[in-house]
């Protein structure tokens, strides 16, 4: 049975993958697409975000970190006035608390997410898994 976040993101069109992920100190932008049609993207922003963990310990050193990442599961549970999320992919698991996501639109001129502002692309090579470094 699909979780509430899976139902929202997958739009009843099959198994999905992460095709883009941007993490900042206060929000996460996530773009997903059906594995069979990666051009059919759906982008959302999780606002007022608190990153709890990023776990790549089960990932094999030879895993390909190039997106798309297969989504194994995406859990969502209410937590006060926010939600607790756990995104589990074939290479990494990300746990965070945030507001329910809102859809993002692509700006036709420059292929940037709207509202447009620069955010850092997720880069596992430069990510510190030490919570004190977040």
């Amino acid at each position: 049975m699909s979780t509430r976040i899976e139902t929202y993101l997958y739009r009843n069109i099959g198994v999905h993958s992460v095709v883009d992920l941007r993490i900042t100190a206060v929000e996460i932008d996530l773009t997903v697409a059906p594995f069979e049609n990666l051009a059919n993207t759906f982008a959302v922003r999780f606002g007022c975000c608190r990153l709890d963990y990023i776990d790549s310990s089960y990932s094999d050193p030879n895993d390909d970190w190039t997106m798309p990442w297969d989504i194994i599961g995406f859990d969502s549970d209410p937590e006060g006035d926010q939600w607790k999320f756990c995104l589990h992919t074939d290479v990494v698991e990300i746990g965070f608390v945030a507001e329910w996501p809102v859809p993002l639109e692509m700006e036709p001129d420059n292929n940037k997410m709207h509202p447009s502002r620069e955010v850092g692309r997720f880069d596992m090579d430069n990510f510190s898994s030490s919570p004190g470094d977040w």
Side-chain angles (χ1 to χ4, degrees):
M1 177 178 218
S2 295
T3 65
R4 186 165 176 190
I5 190 65
E6 289 170 337
T7 300
Y8 175 67
L9 292 176
Y10 300 172
R11 304 160 288 154
N12 293 318
I13 49 177
V15 178
H16 275 57
S17 297
V18 173
V19 295
D20 193 45
L21 176 66
R22 298 167 192 268
I23 299 174
T24 71
V26 295
E27 60 195 18
I28 293 177
D29 290 349
L30 173 69
T31 305
V32 298
F35 194 73
E36 298 297 323
N37 181 6
L38 296 176
N40 186 2
T41 61
F42 183 48
V44 296
R45 173 167 290 157
F46 296 87
C48 295
C49 183
R50 182 189 79 228
L51 183 65
D52 287 338
Y53 66 91
I54 295 180
D55 181 5
S56 62
S57 62
Y58 62 89
S59 182
D60 186 286
N62 297 321
D63 280 346
D64 184 2
W65 281 77
T66 306
M67 290 184 189
W69 299 339
D70 295 340
I71 298 176
I72 308 300
F74 202 163
D75 296 327
S76 57
D77 295 302
E79 184 168 286
D81 59 349
Q82 292 188 305
W83 289 78
K84 185 172 188 164
F85 297 98
C86 178
L87 173 61
H88 184 96
T89 74
D90 59 334
V91 294
V92 68
E93 182 175 287
I94 302 170
F96 59 99
V97 174
E99 295 175 340
W100 189 259
V102 295
L104 292 175
E105 301 293 327
M106 295 299 286
E107 295 177 357
D109 307 5
N110 57 11
N111 201 31
K112 284 190 177 178
M113 298 285 190
H114 180 78
S116 83
R117 68 189 201 91
E118 292 299 315
V119 292
R121 181 175 294 278
F122 181 73
D123 180 359
M124 193 62 189
D125 291 334
N126 294 317
F127 178 76
S128 172
S129 60
S130 171
D133 293 338
W134 300 342

